[in-house]
Amino acid sequence: MRRLIPLHSKYCVLSLGMAIAASLAAPAAKADTSDFWDGNWHGNIQPYVWLPGISAETRYQLPNNGGEVQQKTDNNIFSYLSGAFMLDGTLRKGDWGMYGDIDWVKFSGEKGRFTNIGGDRIGAGANLDTRWGMKGGMVNFAGLYTLAHTGQGFIDLLFGVRYLWVKGNLDWNFSLNGNAGNVNISRSGHLNNQMHVTDGIVGIRGNWSPFEDKRWFFPYYLDFGAGSSDTTYKASFGVAYGFDWGDIGFSYRDIHYSHSGNDKFIKDLTLSGPNFSVNWNF
């Protein structure tokens, strides 16, 4: 599998750096909109289109105590995304508020490769024809506290939970030459597995504008968490244009999960890709 960790590390550092810069610049809300910190109830709802590629390392249990199939996949943006639904929103009164985000995605027909079957490494003598699919949902729910806000932008502290459900299936048709007698698996077949993960998260979110009219601005989001998974993070950074009713934006979003346990279905999972949103304030 193509390793993406160095890119993710740089991306997280960039997102955090922009957030810190925004904080030092006394961030807050866009001009020409309601004062979201006037002590009354305010909120927004934001449907969005996220087109992520997927990079994953998964484990499937063979029947009859046949060991495991471990599989790695490449990150292919757009190619195998066959369904998606995304919606987020906030509700606030004064400095306190609530944030929610719902994602559902489905991938199908993705090409992959086995790293080992039943504990045996698969070498150059293996001719693989594999297809896998994956679908799942993610829910983020967090409380918000505004650390700072001015006419240039705002920065919120967020603290809450993230729930992930993932189901995967794997189909194969292959031939083995050198080590065929050592692998306890049929020449073709189907496997499936699933996982439920709940993690606590803490992070920051907000936007910042260096422009005089403040119509153009930069939204950002960064959180880290742990719990059922060893580590997870979610990061995004983009650009948006504001109107009296709300704004439209384009960003890049990255979500990662990591598990070290040998019994976990997902060892590493990364979803990353461009995001287009339309936001309505009320």
Side-chain angles (χ1 to χ4, degrees):
M1 179 182 70
R2 182 178 56 185
R3 303 302 296 174
L4 302 179
I5 292 177
L7 175 61
H8 294 157
S9 299
K10 293 178 181 179
Y11 182 74
C12 287
V13 170
L14 176 61
S15 299
L16 183 59
M18 290 301 301
I20 292 173
S23 177
L24 294 177
K30 304 182 297 298
D32 302 324
T33 63
S34 301
D35 180 4
F36 296 135
W37 293 269
D38 61 6
N40 297 316
W41 286 101
H42 295 278
N44 72 282
I45 187 168
Q46 179 174 257
Y48 59 95
V49 177
W50 180 35
L51 300 173
I54 182 170
S55 179
E57 184 172 352
T58 57
R59 301 181 180 93
Y60 296 87
Q61 181 64 44
L62 295 171
N64 303 318
N65 297 318
E68 295 180 340
V69 172
Q70 294 191 22
Q71 184 223 16
K72 293 183 178 181
T73 65
D74 293 326
N75 189 40
N76 294 289
I77 296 178
F78 308 132
S79 300
Y80 302 100
L81 182 66
S82 57
F85 172 78
M86 294 93 179
L87 182 71
D88 78 7
T90 61
L91 186 65
R92 71 169 69 243
K93 185 176 183 180
D95 289 335
W96 293 93
M98 297 176 290
Y99 164 77
D101 183 19
I102 301 173
D103 296 272
W104 178 84
V105 293
K106 180 180 180 180
F107 298 87
S108 60
E110 179 88 43
K111 295 179 180 180
R113 65 183 177 88
F114 296 142
T115 59
N116 67 67
I117 301 177
D120 294 307
R121 298 291 298 180
I122 302 302
N127 296 314
L128 303 178
D129 180 13
T130 68
R131 293 291 185 273
W132 68 273
M134 185 175 290
K135 62 181 178 180
M138 184 180 66
V139 177
N140 296 267
F141 183 76
L144 300 175
Y145 180 76
T146 301
L147 299 176
H149 64 92
T150 70
Q152 297 301 123
F154 72 93
I155 182 168
D156 285 339
L157 173 69
L158 67 91
F159 43 90
V161 295
R162 175 156 55 242
Y163 168 76
L164 174 73
W165 167 73
V166 178
K167 182 177 181 180
N169 59 78
L170 176 67
D171 296 278
W172 70 88
N173 189 343
F174 67 96
S175 62
L176 293 170
N177 297 321
N179 55 352
N182 298 326
V183 177
N184 183 19
I185 191 171
S186 60
R187 293 294 191 259
S188 62
H190 173 85
L191 294 172
N192 59 73
N193 205 343
Q194 63 179 324
M195 183 178 69
H196 300 265
V197 179
T198 303
D199 295 300
I201 57 172
V202 62
I204 54 174
R205 64 184 291 274
N207 66 57
W208 172 66
S209 175
F211 305 110
E212 184 176 352
D213 64 6
K214 305 176 185 64
R215 288 290 187 177
W216 289 100
F217 63 98
F218 301 105
Y220 57 86
Y221 180 104
L222 178 65
D223 76 38
F224 294 94
S228 299
S229 64
D230 290 347
T231 59
T232 178
Y233 69 76
K234 175 182 172 183
S236 68
F237 177 75
V239 61
Y241 185 83
F243 301 90
D244 292 339
W245 49 266
D247 54 75
I248 58 174
F250 181 82
S251 62
Y252 192 88
R253 173 180 289 206
D254 189 51
I255 298 174
H256 179 75
Y257 279 85
S258 178
H259 294 87
S260 60
N262 293 327
D263 60 339
K264 301 295 185 181
F265 167 47
I266 298 289
K267 184 176 180 180
D268 286 289
L269 173 67
T270 299
L271 299 168
S272 57
N275 181 86
F276 176 78
S277 62
V278 180
N279 174 62
W280 284 276
N281 298 321
F282 58 87

